[in-house]
């Protein structure tokens, strides 16, 4: 890090339960509150466009808004500041190319923050469960830490059906891969049980991961000329990208740096849509669903732990939910590929949602979406 980028110096930092409001110490290793609620961070960010523009092209250019105390703890692979391009869909639509992140998905944003926090805690072993990409990202940043005096041992639990390329990638980074049969929830349970002595570096539960993902909002703001888009379309499984975006735009708004926050349009695969289902029934928590197989493995989450928060964030943004059928995912994948963007099926699902939602969006609105994962991670399922 450049020495001119100083760390935030606020002293009101704490972990706060999103359900009961209980306050936990910043340095605590608990992964959820005793009441079962997910934890959030109490932390005061600042941002100044004049400082940001001259800095190196990574998400650490927003240093004063990132909740890591010590610059020496930062674990980075140069993630963030991915290209933002338009695609003509009869009107320009902005595509944020997060498939170009170091491990091939937007999860690197969260992993950089989470593993930097792990280093601040002086933890030497982590356990994580994932549908593949978050595991690959956590494994990559643990591998990056191996060159430091504090290497971090990494075990990743994945569903047995995870794309082979993602398993190969996780193992290549030197992490132990544990394949768990059964549902995605069974995989999470296995990791939680194993996390006795190691730190549970869960992208779902750990709030530092969300504070990494919030940089998607800062980058859209910067790359659109210090403006927020009017509408942002995002894929949602456990909601780390959507909650991160809501957090980031919320911080920009609170700092007076944007006039309005974007409407968030959350996309789920119709085959596994507990949140879209809850939305249509005006429920505050995820609906019980019987998940069917879907090409969109990254968002096949039947029981999202932060489901209430996701529904509340979409509601607060005046947004909505869209579901997409498998055939629409295939069509969207082909559409993107023929335009030069090779993404994995989960990312194509978000674009399919955008194609569905676009006719309802006013023509003057600035519309953006995120290409969340690289196509080479999951080549077999869709061949055109
Ligand atoms: C490529 C891709 N896009 C989107 C998502 C959805 O992220 P989240 O589960 O945090 O909503 C994932 C999650 O694994 C993913 O791998
Ligand atoms: Zn609580």
């Amino acid at each position: 890090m450049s020495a001119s980028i100083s760390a935030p110096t606020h002293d009101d930092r704490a972990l706060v339960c999103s359900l009961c409001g209980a306050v936990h110490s910043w340095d605590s290793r608990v992964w959820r509150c005793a009441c079962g609620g997910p934890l959030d961070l109490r932390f005061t960010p600042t941002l100044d466009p004049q400082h940001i523009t001259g800095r190196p092209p990574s998400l650490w250019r927003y240093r004063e808004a990132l909740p890591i105390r010590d610059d020496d703890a930062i674990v980075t692979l140069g993630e963030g500041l991915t290209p933002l391009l338009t695609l003509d869909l009869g009107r320009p639509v902005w595509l944020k190319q997060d498939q170009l992140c170091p491990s091939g998905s937007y999860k690197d944003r969260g992993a950089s923050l989470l593993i930097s926090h792990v280093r601040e805690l002086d933890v030497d072993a982590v356990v994580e469960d994932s549908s593949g990409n978050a595991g690959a990202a956590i494994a990559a940043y643990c591998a990056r830490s191996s060159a430091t005096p504090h290497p971090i041992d990494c075990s990743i639990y994945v569903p047995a059906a995870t794309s082979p390329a993602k398993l190969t990638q996780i193992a290549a980074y030197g992490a132990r891969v544990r394949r768990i049969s059964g549902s995605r929830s069974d995989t999470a349970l296995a990791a939680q049980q194993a996390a006795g002595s190691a730190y549970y570096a869960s992208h779902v539960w750990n709030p530092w991961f969300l504070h990494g993902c919030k940089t998607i909002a800062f980058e859209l703001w910067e790359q659109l000329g210090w403006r927020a888009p009017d509408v942002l379309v995002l894929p949602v499984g456990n909601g780390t990208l959507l909650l991160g975006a809501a957090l980031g735009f919320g911080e920009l708004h609170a700092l007076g740096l944007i006039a309005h926050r974007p409407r968030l349009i959350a996309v789920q695969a119709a085959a596994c849509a507990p949140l879209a289902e809850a939305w249509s029934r005006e429920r505050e928590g995820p609906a019980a669903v019987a998940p069917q197989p879907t090409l969109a493995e990254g968002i096949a989450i039947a029981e999202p732990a932060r489901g209430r928060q996701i529904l509340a964030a979409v509601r607060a943004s005046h947004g909505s939910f869209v579901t997409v059928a498998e055939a629409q995912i295939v069509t969207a994948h082909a559409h993107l590929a023929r335009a030069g963007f090779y993404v994995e099926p989960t990312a194509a699902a978000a674009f399919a949602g955008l194609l569905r939602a676009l006719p309802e969006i006013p023509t003057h609105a600035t519309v953006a979406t995120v290409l969340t994962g690289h196509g080479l991670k999951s080549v077999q399922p869709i061949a055109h």
Side-chain angles (χ1 to χ4, degrees):
M1 287 300 305
S2 152
S4 64
I5 306 177
S6 59
T9 53
H10 311 287
D11 55 8
D12 63 340
R13 295 162 185 246
L15 286 160
V16 181
C17 175
S18 62
L19 219 53
C20 75
V23 176
H24 304 254
S25 137
W26 186 262
D27 296 315
S28 165
R29 296 182 187 192
V30 294
W31 56 272
R32 67 176 169 190
C33 181
C35 80
L39 300 171
D40 291 329
L41 296 186
R42 188 171 72 205
F43 159 75
T44 312
T46 62
L47 281 172
D48 181 343
Q50 283 190 336
H51 290 155
I52 292 166
T53 43
R55 290 178 178 167
S58 91
L59 58 76
W60 290 96
R61 66 206 270 111
Y62 311 107
R63 178 70 180 98
E64 294 83 357
L66 301 179
I68 298 295
R69 277 184 294 229
D70 180 2
D71 284 357
D72 290 339
I74 291 172
V75 183
T76 178
L77 286 162
E79 57 291 323
L81 218 67
T82 52
L84 180 68
L85 299 182
T86 53
L87 179 66
D88 186 1
L89 295 175
R91 58 194 283 186
V93 167
W94 293 96
L95 303 181
K96 182 78 168 133
Q97 293 196 71
D98 266 29
Q99 82 278 24
L100 302 179
C101 285
S103 83
S105 86
Y106 82 89
K107 308 272 188 186
D108 292 341
R109 298 179 182 278
S112 181
L113 265 285
L114 173 45
I115 297 304
S116 297
H117 176 62
V118 163
R119 282 201 52 201
E120 279 199 320
L121 291 177
D122 216 9
V123 161
D124 59 9
V126 300
V127 173
E128 149 79 322
D129 55 272
S130 159
S131 64
N133 281 335
I138 298 284
Y141 286 80
C142 287
R144 180 68 168 154
S145 81
S146 66
T148 72
H150 303 286
I152 301 165
D153 184 80
C154 181
S155 298
I156 305 291
Y157 288 66
V158 291
T162 300
S163 288
K166 293 179 185 175
L167 298 177
T168 306
Q169 184 184 11
I170 295 168
Y173 287 129
R176 261 180 300 282
V177 182
R178 306 266 189 244
R179 294 177 65 189
I180 306 296
S181 46
S183 68
R184 175 66 181 82
S185 307
D186 293 329
T187 306
L189 203 61
Q192 287 158 13
Q193 283 165 354
S197 53
Y199 183 76
Y200 184 35
S202 166
H203 66 290
V204 179
W205 292 91
N206 190 293
W208 274 268
F209 197 91
L210 300 184
H211 279 257
C213 292
K214 78 182 178 187
T215 56
I216 197 81
F218 299 161
E219 291 180 21
L220 285 166
W221 166 67
E222 179 177 354
Q223 291 172 316
L224 289 172
W226 313 112
R227 284 177 41 240
D230 298 307
V231 179
L232 180 59
V233 182
L234 297 172
V236 171
N238 276 308
T240 60
L241 186 57
L242 185 133
L243 289 172
L247 184 61
F249 284 115
E251 289 180 355
L252 290 170
H253 194 249
L255 290 166
L257 293 167
I258 54 173
H260 67 89
R261 285 172 280 191
R263 275 173 58 198
L264 300 175
I265 299 188
V267 183
Q268 295 214 287
C272 184
L275 296 168
E277 189 66 34
W279 181 262
S280 65
R281 291 201 232 143
E282 297 183 13
R283 298 260 177 87
E284 291 193 358
V289 292
Q292 303 300 308
T294 173
L295 290 163
E297 63 181 353
I299 49 174
I301 306 294
E303 299 168 77
R306 292 185 182 268
R308 299 180 84 84
Q309 290 183 305
I310 298 166
L311 288 160
V314 173
R315 207 176 304 119
S317 80
H318 306 289
S320 59
F321 275 81
V322 175
T323 58
V324 292
E326 297 302 293
Q328 290 171 316
I329 297 173
V330 175
T331 304
H333 187 270
H335 190 143
L336 283 172
R338 298 303 155 93
F341 302 97
Y342 191 52
V343 300
E344 67 170 285
T346 306
F351 187 70
L354 170 67
L355 294 175
R356 274 204 72 183
L358 205 56
E360 312 294 329
I361 299 172
T363 45
H364 64 265
T366 306
V367 181
T369 190
V370 182
L371 303 183
T372 51
H374 203 287
L376 293 175
K377 281 176 171 271
S378 187
V379 172
Q380 276 80 18
I382 306 182
H384 302 289

